[in-house]
Amino acid sequence: EGLDTLVKLTDLSLYSNHIEQMSGLDKLLELNILSLGKNRIKSYDQVVTYLRDIPNKLEVLTLEGNPCTEKDNKEDYSFYVIAYLNNLKYLDYHLIKQEDRDLAIEKHREDIDEREKIKDAEKNVIETPTMTKENKQLYEEAHVYCTVNIFQHILQIDENNDKLKVLPNYQDIMQRTEEDIKDMTSNFQQKMLELHKNKKSTIEYCIEVMKGAERDSEKKSIQILNEFKQLFDQEVKSINFDNASDKELDTFQAKMFKEIDSLEEKLMTVEMRLVEILSVAVGDFNSKVDAINAEMNKLNSEYSKEVVELDKKFSVEIRDHAYKLHEEFMREADGNAEKWENDIELTNLLYEKEVMTQIIDLARDFQEQKILEKEGEIRAAIKSDWLATRESIDNEQHDRNRNIILEILRMKEEKKKEVSTMVIKAKERY
């Protein structure tokens, strides 16, 4: 207790304090020496896991005199501690030799590799805003789900950006940029969702108009068929097939063939008229959806440009911060070397200005490329989605029209065959 304020503490002795497990050292970022000897710690695994997962500069650790170190195999204990606390130089007053460290790491290689995989996986997980299944589907349909946390996703895969994270103000600069991009992205997403909603409504309305025209056409065809049926029944009743002469039968057949041909022409006219109506409806429908898609593509292009500009601003701020640190480093490198020796990665980054500039420029170019790739991905998805919808409607209409025409021709053939059969049977009675 009471250690939270001692953030610059480097040497801590908790010798003989009845301690059973480790806690409370999270704020001791500069901790270099830790003595836990002669306590009641039963699990060195708990101590190692705790110390491994908190930030510190621990190089000297004493656990001797605890139950966990007095077990039968002290080698297992020492190898475990050395393997997982790889910055340690001394354990229980003994210098850790490189060969011992190599043996310890090799002994626990499988578990270390597995832990590293888990750590990397957790590092690469970017928190996604809570979203219902229905909302996620809407975002995907509107082709904007790929813009959720877009900046973080791009930075995550940028190897050059990883090298810049050692800059002291990197997180502040990045978070400001991320907030600006999030606000812009949210606005973009809402506009795209609204346009998608309009497009969906337009498509649904057009399909309903087309279905309505099909229903009207079907009613007209049914009416024509009913009129033909009445005519056919009247003509059949008007002739006595048992006593009719060949001339009368031939006249009946010729008249009915003519009526059947007329029926075909009427039905085909209804179908062709429907095709014209549907063609106009589809043309109007295409124009409206094309206009919505054009607006979506315009929004997508504008959004992409704005994100690129914010990313460039981010790069400029990172560069200015890095240049200022470089100048400070060059002034103090000889006279105040200790200040920089504690952070080797930062020192390596600042050492050569030209190389540092190249890293910053490569990071910026990579990020811009990925932003433009997202723009192209959204544009391609809008086009592909629309082409698939239009092709589905065109194919459905083509199949419907083809089936109707085949049905008309089949009915014509069957009706003529029916009349011919009636005439042939009547003539065979003689």
Side-chain angles (χ1 to χ4, degrees):
E1 294 181 5
L3 295 173
D4 288 358
T5 58
L6 305 176
V7 292
K8 294 188 177 181
L9 186 68
T10 60
D11 188 340
L12 176 63
S13 176
L14 297 172
Y15 185 83
S16 189
N17 267 277
H18 308 292
I19 295 170
E20 295 183 358
Q21 63 178 20
M22 287 307 304
S23 63
L25 307 184
D26 305 51
K27 304 295 183 182
L28 306 187
L29 306 182
E30 302 296 323
L31 186 62
N32 182 255
I33 301 172
L34 176 62
S35 174
L36 297 170
K38 205 173 181 183
N39 279 288
R40 298 175 180 175
I41 299 171
K42 295 179 181 179
S43 169
Y44 54 76
D45 178 52
Q46 189 273 328
V47 175
V48 170
T49 301
Y50 176 74
L51 293 174
R52 185 190 63 221
D53 292 342
I54 63 172
N56 57 60
K57 297 177 180 179
L58 192 63
E59 294 182 342
V60 180
L61 175 64
T62 303
L63 281 169
E64 196 173 58
N66 283 281
C68 65
T69 68
E70 296 172 357
K71 294 180 180 179
D72 294 338
N73 197 341
K74 287 200 71 172
E75 187 180 86
D76 285 347
Y77 147 71
S78 59
F79 274 8
Y80 186 88
V81 176
I82 294 169
Y84 290 105
L85 298 180
N86 47 31
N87 289 327
L88 276 188
K89 293 181 179 178
Y90 291 88
L91 175 61
D92 294 336
Y93 311 109
H94 295 289
L95 176 67
I96 299 171
K97 297 177 182 179
Q98 187 58 47
E99 54 263 36
D100 289 336
R101 189 182 304 280
D102 292 341
L103 283 171
I105 291 173
E106 191 58 37
K107 183 179 178 66
H108 295 278
R109 169 63 62 193
E110 187 175 337
D111 188 52
I112 289 173
D113 289 345
E114 185 62 29
R115 286 174 185 264
E116 286 300 317
K117 286 180 184 178
I118 294 171
K119 186 177 178 182
D120 289 342
E122 289 174 348
K123 177 183 175 183
N124 290 333
V125 170
I126 294 176
E127 185 178 350
T128 302
T130 303
M131 190 178 292
T132 64
K133 185 178 180 180
E134 290 76 14
N135 280 344
K136 181 182 177 184
Q137 183 178 346
L138 282 175
Y139 272 61
E140 288 173 341
E141 288 176 358
H143 313 300
V144 293
Y145 190 71
C146 63
T147 63
V148 176
N149 285 334
I150 181 173
F151 190 55
Q152 280 294 330
H153 282 296
I154 290 172
L155 294 184
Q156 174 190 316
I157 59 174
D158 185 355
E159 293 181 359
N160 286 295
N161 179 72
D162 285 344
K163 298 172 184 176
L164 301 173
K165 291 178 180 179
V166 297
L167 294 168
N169 290 353
Y170 173 87
Q171 287 297 328
D172 289 340
I173 297 171
M174 184 274 292
Q175 286 172 5
R176 286 199 303 272
T177 306
E178 183 184 10
E179 286 304 313
D180 290 341
I181 291 178
K182 273 187 177 180
D183 290 343
M184 184 185 299
T185 300
S186 178
N187 186 43
F188 166 68
Q189 290 167 345
Q190 293 309 310
K191 289 180 179 178
M192 290 288 279
L193 286 167
E194 188 61 33
L195 284 171
H196 170 68
K197 182 180 177 182
N198 291 343
K199 179 165 67 172
K200 194 173 181 180
S201 296
T202 299
I203 293 172
E204 288 173 352
Y205 173 73
C206 177
I207 290 174
E208 184 53 41
V209 168
M210 293 169 71
K211 293 296 182 185
E214 289 173 13
R215 287 193 293 270
D216 290 343
S217 177
E218 185 180 359
K219 288 178 183 177
K220 289 177 183 177
S221 296
I222 290 172
Q223 182 181 351
I224 291 169
L225 286 167
N226 285 336
E227 289 172 356
F228 172 79
K229 186 176 182 300
Q230 288 177 3
L231 174 66
F232 183 80
D233 290 343
Q234 287 174 3
E235 290 298 328
V236 170
K237 288 178 181 178
S238 68
I239 186 169
N240 187 342
F241 286 95
D242 292 332
N243 300 319
S245 65
D246 286 355
K247 184 178 180 181
E248 290 174 323
L249 290 171
D250 291 339
T251 300
F252 166 77
Q253 178 171 294
K255 183 177 180 180
M256 293 316 302
F257 276 15
K258 184 177 179 180
E259 291 296 339
I260 292 170
D261 289 338
S262 176
L263 172 64
E264 176 195 16
E265 183 179 348
K266 289 177 182 178
L267 292 175
M268 286 293 189
T269 299
V270 171
E271 178 58 23
M272 291 306 105
R273 177 58 183 154
L274 174 60
V275 169
E276 290 176 10
I277 293 171
L278 294 179
S279 178
V280 172
V282 169
D284 181 51
F285 155 63
N286 284 344
S287 297
K288 289 178 179 177
V289 175
D290 283 341
I292 294 172
N293 284 340
E295 185 63 24
M296 293 179 85
N297 282 322
K298 181 183 176 185
L299 269 178
N300 179 35
S301 178
E302 290 172 352
Y303 166 72
S304 178
K305 288 176 183 176
E306 289 170 349
V307 175
V308 166
E309 287 305 311
L310 284 176
D311 184 67
K312 286 180 178 177
K313 182 183 174 185
F314 166 70
S315 181
V316 168
E317 288 188 46
I318 290 292
R319 185 193 63 201
D320 291 347
H321 174 48
Y323 281 5
K324 186 177 179 180
L325 281 173
H326 171 76
E327 292 172 5
E328 185 181 342
F329 170 74
M330 296 306 291
R331 285 196 308 269
E332 299 179 353
D334 294 330
N336 191 10
E338 254 183 53
K339 173 181 177 181
W340 303 98
E341 284 176 357
N342 291 332
D343 199 332
I344 300 300
E345 289 185 348
L346 178 60
T347 301
N348 290 339
L349 177 67
L350 299 175
Y351 189 72
E352 290 189 44
K353 185 176 182 180
E354 186 177 339
V355 174
M356 180 175 68
T357 301
Q358 186 180 28
I359 291 171
I360 294 170
D361 289 345
L362 286 171
R364 180 200 62 217
D365 292 346
F366 176 85
Q367 290 154 24
E368 180 174 348
Q369 176 193 343
K370 291 302 173 184
I371 293 166
L372 294 177
E373 284 178 7
K374 287 294 180 186
E375 178 192 354
E377 181 184 326
I378 294 172
R379 190 189 312 111
I382 292 171
K383 181 180 179 181
S384 174
D385 175 53
W386 170 224
L387 287 176
T389 302
R390 189 163 61 186
E391 184 179 355
S392 174
I393 292 172
D394 289 344
N395 288 340
E396 185 179 338
Q397 289 308 313
H398 177 269
D399 290 344
R400 187 205 59 76
N401 176 248
R402 179 175 176 276
N403 290 335
I404 289 293
I405 290 174
L406 288 175
E407 180 63 22
I408 291 171
L409 294 175
R410 183 190 63 77
M411 184 194 64
K412 172 188 173 182
E413 184 180 348
E414 287 182 354
K415 279 297 178 185
K416 284 191 173 182
K417 186 177 180 180
E418 181 183 351
V419 170
S420 297
T421 301
M422 292 171 68
V423 172
I424 290 170
K425 283 184 177 181
K427 286 182 178 182
E428 286 177 349
R429 292 193 179 96
Y430 302 140

